[in-house]
Amino acid sequence: MSAGDSAAVSAVEGKLAELSTSCDLRTLPRRGKPASARTLNTAQIPLVASHPEVYEPCDDSFALVDALLSDKAQLLALQPSLCLEVGCGSGYVITSLAIMLRQLGSGTQYLATDINQHAVETTQATLGAHGIHADVIATDIVSGLEKRLAGMVDVVVVNPPYVPTPEEEIGIKGIAASWAGGLNGRQVIDRILPAVRELLSEKGWLYMIALEDNDPLGICHLMNEKGFASRVLLKRCTEEESLYVLKFWQDAAVSTNASQSGKSPGSDSSWLSPFRSFWHKNGSSS
């Protein structure tokens, strides 16, 4: 890395630290309660089913849905044929996405997966309460679906297990599976990303929540190396964590530019652009 790139990275890290301490926590929604700005465009909390072993809608769920709402016009223009949520939990996110895109009619199909059977049943109940149909499958990430769905999914949404935990907590049964992310909270994320890349269509988009401890810059860098451009749709501080909603899409220019320059996409500071443009447009926080 050149001295200029080191300076750029240092500047970004400094901005991360600044943003993490500048959020006014008094203005944030409490866990379990959606912000008042969320209306009939999303799943209604009283209609969201619950179970003691299923993760209920919380700040990260609301952040992901808010990011999808901010991108609603683009999602409608995309006219996705198949939308997938990996790790559906209560069903709040996939139901909200289906409500946002309801005007597309039967041309859009919905699929959700979760390793927790209780989550599958809870999501089915939430969907039913809102009059939404989706196929909900009990599986680990997308195990068993890879060949059938390869290159077919236009929108993927993921609120992954991102909390840093001891490695032995990964994959345990029950509600802990919804948050246990292992070392740096990345061990499950690093399994999800390659699986999702294989499923995305050429026009496909991935929306994913990441914790600051997960190194969202590094996640963007990793996806950039695989030919995906990225953008930060939303940055939110809560009482417990700093969250990013990241959006990824395939971009031939990413791979082409790297090939022509003889360098990997991450060997210069261009992969920092999603964070730079986000800060430029949004100021200190979302």
Side-chain angles (χ1 to χ4, degrees):
M1 182 181 293
S2 68
D5 291 342
S6 297
V9 172
S10 297
V12 169
E13 291 175 342
K15 190 65 175 179
L16 275 170
E18 176 186 337
L19 291 178
S20 297
T21 58
S22 65
C23 295
D24 184 355
L25 299 180
R26 295 170 298 176
T27 66
L28 297 168
R30 295 177 182 271
R31 287 189 174 275
K33 297 182 180 180
S36 58
R38 249 169 257 114
T39 62
L40 295 179
N41 287 311
T42 67
Q44 301 303 292
I45 291 298
L47 298 181
V48 175
S50 62
H51 186 281
E53 291 298 323
V54 174
Y55 189 72
E56 67 178 16
C58 290
D59 290 319
D60 47 5
S61 317
F62 301 141
L64 182 52
V65 167
D66 284 347
L68 292 170
L69 276 172
S70 74
D71 226 26
K72 180 181 176 181
Q74 288 76 17
L75 284 163
L76 289 170
L78 182 70
Q79 296 187 320
S81 297
L82 180 59
C83 300
L84 164 69
E85 180 176 14
V86 175
C88 52
S90 69
Y92 173 74
V93 175
I94 191 67
T95 301
S96 295
L97 177 61
I99 291 171
M100 290 178 214
L101 303 182
R102 184 173 261 165
Q103 68 191 73
L104 296 177
S106 60
T108 302
Q109 304 298 313
Y110 300 92
L111 174 65
T113 69
D114 203 294
I115 196 171
N116 183 348
Q117 180 63 39
H118 296 303
V120 169
E121 295 167 1
T122 302
T123 291
Q124 289 170 333
T126 297
L127 289 162
H130 290 83
I132 301 293
H133 172 75
D135 293 308
V136 189
I137 300 173
T139 189
D140 182 15
I141 305 178
V142 292
S143 179
L145 303 174
E146 300 94 337
K147 292 183 179 180
R148 284 183 285 172
L149 298 182
M152 294 181 58
V153 184
D154 297 320
V155 175
V156 178
V157 292
V158 187
N159 182 3
Y162 57 66
V163 177
T165 63
E167 185 174 354
E168 56 268 23
E169 292 187 17
I170 296 177
I172 60 177
K173 294 183 178 180
I175 193 171
S178 65
W179 66 67
L183 182 64
N184 299 322
R186 283 286 297 272
Q187 288 182 249
V188 181
I189 289 174
D190 288 343
R191 290 181 56 223
I192 291 173
L193 291 176
V196 166
R197 286 197 300 263
E198 294 301 314
L199 301 190
L200 283 172
S201 66
E202 290 185 0
K203 69 175 185 178
W205 296 343
L206 164 62
Y207 298 85
M208 188 181 78
I209 284 275
L211 185 68
E212 187 163 353
D213 288 347
N214 304 148
D215 184 17
L217 286 169
I219 293 173
C220 289
H221 184 184
L222 176 65
M223 291 292 282
N224 187 262
E225 291 180 328
K226 302 298 182 181
F228 283 78
S230 57
R231 178 186 171 200
V232 179
L233 285 183
L234 185 148
K235 163 69 163 55
R236 179 168 293 166
C237 297
T238 74
E239 295 178 359
E240 301 174 357
E241 55 203 10
S242 296
L243 298 167
Y244 296 84
V245 180
L246 308 175
K247 178 181 179 181
F248 302 96
W249 64 96
Q250 294 187 60
D251 188 345
V254 172
S255 298
T256 300
N257 291 341
S259 176
Q260 290 176 347
S261 66
K263 299 184 290 185
S264 69
S267 60
D268 58 26
S269 60
S270 62
W271 60 276
L272 297 173
S273 58
F275 288 81
R276 289 171 174 161
S277 61
F278 172 75
W279 289 323
H280 177 72
K281 293 191 306 182
N282 293 278
S284 63
S285 68
S286 294

